[in-house]
Amino acid sequence: GVNVTGGHSGWFYDPFELYPQILTNPNALIIGDIGSGKSALVKAFLGRQRAVYGHRRLVTILDPKGEYSDFARAHGLPIIRLHPGGTDRLNPFDHRDATETVQRQALATALVAGVLNRPLDPTEDAVLGWAITTLARRGIPFTFADVATTITNPADELVTLSRRTPLELIQAANPIIFAVDKLVTRTLAGMFDGPTSVRVDWDDGPGFVVDLSAVWGDSEALPLVMLAATSWLAATLRRDSERRVLSVIDEAWAAVHYGARHFQGTLKLSRTYGVATWLICHRPSDLTAQSDDGTATAKIAGGLLADIQTRIIFRQPPDQAAIAAELLGLTERERDWIGQLVRGRALWRLQRRGAVVQTVLTAAERQITETDQGMAS
């Protein structure tokens, strides 16, 4: 784009080229009011990355609203369409390293706690954790359906440790048994309840889009589905490759709603595996308002934002400008800017460097980046 605050010079950005002199991690946060130009920027950036770097870049997109279909078709990205009763399935317990038990336990705990709308008590946590451990020890892939079966048959070690009979232990674990059953038979059914059924060409393919629009209108299911999807993606991206990955998570608030700590851990692996994760939402507070406990919220928000050194801030509503400035460490001048930005213009903050940049689109890019065609006259 054009650097408006830099004499209208050209503005160029690639997180991997800027590492480590300018950036020490490649992750980015893109925030902005509806219609401010977030989607156009992201799609144009991804398309240009593929045009400039070709095979060296792989693009993955979690699309909860179904807005990336035109972009996918234009750039040859296959679309994985997840919906209840569909044929495409992703197993969130997929891991290249079968010993990664802790990550699987964290995912299961976050999903079950989300269904119960409360933290697990010590007995529930132990039963669920031992179920994952028991399955992982077999050294073969397993699914959430396997977890549902295993928690109803607690391991002898756990029975002895709990000092209860198997029946008493199962009765104590009834809430998580019903929660897992709900996940398998309803919330995640037909999407994340079985073995992965799609094939991804990690070596030579351009990437893919995961379309989650079937659950976009379900406020209860969406955060759980997004958590499962981001977990599958994070697990499968843990691979040694010379290709660099651009991973876009739209409506990122939903991904951290129940699993902020779990999600934060995936961002810390960005440098290890060469993955730049772009989180898109309307306001920075969307990422910080996902806990009832103020102290926990502050820690999670601080951790997430600390792992994101590129902040791209489009127009913010008047009541959000001060909050955004506080959370993102903006100066008073920058706070004033973000309340007055026109469409397509954003404040870019790269650690301590900042500039107001106008996105410039070609006619061809406009055809596949605009998301408000329905309002055009």
Side-chain angles (χ1 to χ4, degrees):
V2 174
N3 185 346
V4 177
T5 50
H8 287 78
S9 57
W11 178 264
F12 308 94
Y13 174 83
D14 176 79
F16 303 109
E17 298 281 2
L18 296 177
Y19 178 87
Q21 287 79 14
I22 306 300
L23 300 172
T24 56
N25 78 56
N27 302 316
L29 171 68
I30 301 90
I31 62 172
D33 205 2
I34 296 173
S36 58
K38 301 186 302 297
S39 179
L41 166 68
V42 172
K43 292 172 184 176
F45 175 76
L46 296 177
R48 294 173 188 182
Q49 283 277 312
R50 288 286 301 166
V52 173
Y53 295 98
H55 179 267
R56 289 179 290 168
R57 295 290 186 268
L58 184 144
V59 173
T60 71
I61 302 170
L62 293 187
D63 180 14
K65 293 181 289 187
E67 291 185 346
Y68 287 82
S69 296
D70 289 343
F71 174 86
R73 283 189 289 269
H75 293 281
L77 273 67
I79 301 176
I80 300 171
R81 301 187 188 278
L82 300 183
H83 57 87
T87 57
D88 288 351
R89 281 181 173 80
L90 303 177
N91 179 11
F93 291 112
D94 278 343
H95 279 271
R96 291 175 64 82
D97 184 350
T99 64
E100 292 180 342
T101 304
V102 173
Q103 288 81 6
R104 290 160 163 168
Q105 289 174 332
L107 169 61
T109 298
L111 287 169
V112 172
V115 173
L116 296 176
N117 199 29
R118 63 168 175 78
L120 305 189
D121 68 31
T123 299
E124 294 166 342
D125 186 60
V127 171
L128 186 58
W130 273 92
I132 301 294
T133 301
T134 300
L135 291 166
R137 283 175 178 170
R138 299 176 185 175
I140 58 176
F142 63 90
T143 68
F144 232 128
D146 297 318
V147 175
T149 300
T150 305
I151 60 177
T152 60
N153 296 282
D156 293 339
E157 298 166 87
L158 185 57
V159 173
T160 302
L161 183 65
S162 69
R163 298 182 179 181
R164 305 186 189 192
T165 66
L167 180 59
E168 289 173 336
L169 189 58
I170 291 174
Q171 289 175 335
N174 266 340
I176 65 166
I177 292 174
F178 289 120
V180 171
D181 179 73
K182 180 180 179 179
L183 287 167
V184 173
T185 61
R186 283 184 281 172
T187 308
L188 305 182
M191 296 178 286
F192 299 97
D193 57 337
T196 297
S197 63
V198 299
R199 180 184 177 277
V200 174
D201 186 353
W202 296 105
D203 296 325
D204 298 307
F208 54 87
V209 173
V210 180
D211 186 331
L212 302 171
S213 58
V215 295
W216 171 243
D218 190 333
S219 60
E220 179 182 349
L222 179 64
L224 296 168
V225 168
M226 284 287 285
L227 176 57
T230 54
S231 297
W232 172 83
L233 184 60
T236 53
L237 287 177
R238 294 177 184 179
R239 59 188 62 240
D240 295 326
S241 173
E242 294 182 355
R243 306 183 75 186
R244 297 294 173 258
V245 180
L246 296 159
S247 181
V248 172
I249 301 178
D250 207 344
E251 300 295 335
W253 65 267
V256 303
H257 187 78
Y258 291 127
R261 291 180 180 84
H262 180 66
F263 187 74
Q264 183 182 343
T266 67
L267 292 183
K268 293 185 181 296
L269 296 172
S270 57
R271 289 177 297 179
T272 303
Y273 297 102
V275 179
T277 300
W278 280 39
L279 306 181
I280 307 173
C281 53
H282 297 299
R283 300 168 293 273
S285 57
D286 290 343
L287 298 178
T288 65
Q290 309 304 329
S291 172
D292 292 330
D293 181 85
T295 301
T297 298
K299 290 180 179 179
I300 294 170
L304 282 172
L305 295 178
D307 291 330
I308 301 174
Q309 292 181 346
T310 298
R311 291 95 180 266
I312 306 171
I313 309 163
F314 286 85
R315 183 183 65 248
Q316 290 289 292
D319 63 332
Q320 292 294 316
I323 298 173
E326 181 181 356
L327 289 174
L328 301 176
L330 305 182
T331 66
E332 184 174 349
R333 186 181 186 187
E334 289 171 334
R335 183 186 66 184
D336 293 338
W337 279 344
I338 63 175
Q340 303 172 28
L341 295 169
V342 299
R343 181 183 175 91
R345 189 168 294 183
L347 170 65
W348 287 64
R349 283 289 303 269
L350 279 61
Q351 294 208 75
R352 296 180 181 86
R353 303 187 182 194
V356 175
V357 179
Q358 177 70 43
T359 303
V360 179
L361 303 174
T362 67
E365 285 175 329
R366 288 194 186 93
Q367 292 295 317
I368 60 173
T369 60
E370 298 292 344
T371 58
D372 58 356
Q373 297 95 330
M375 296 298 293
S377 58

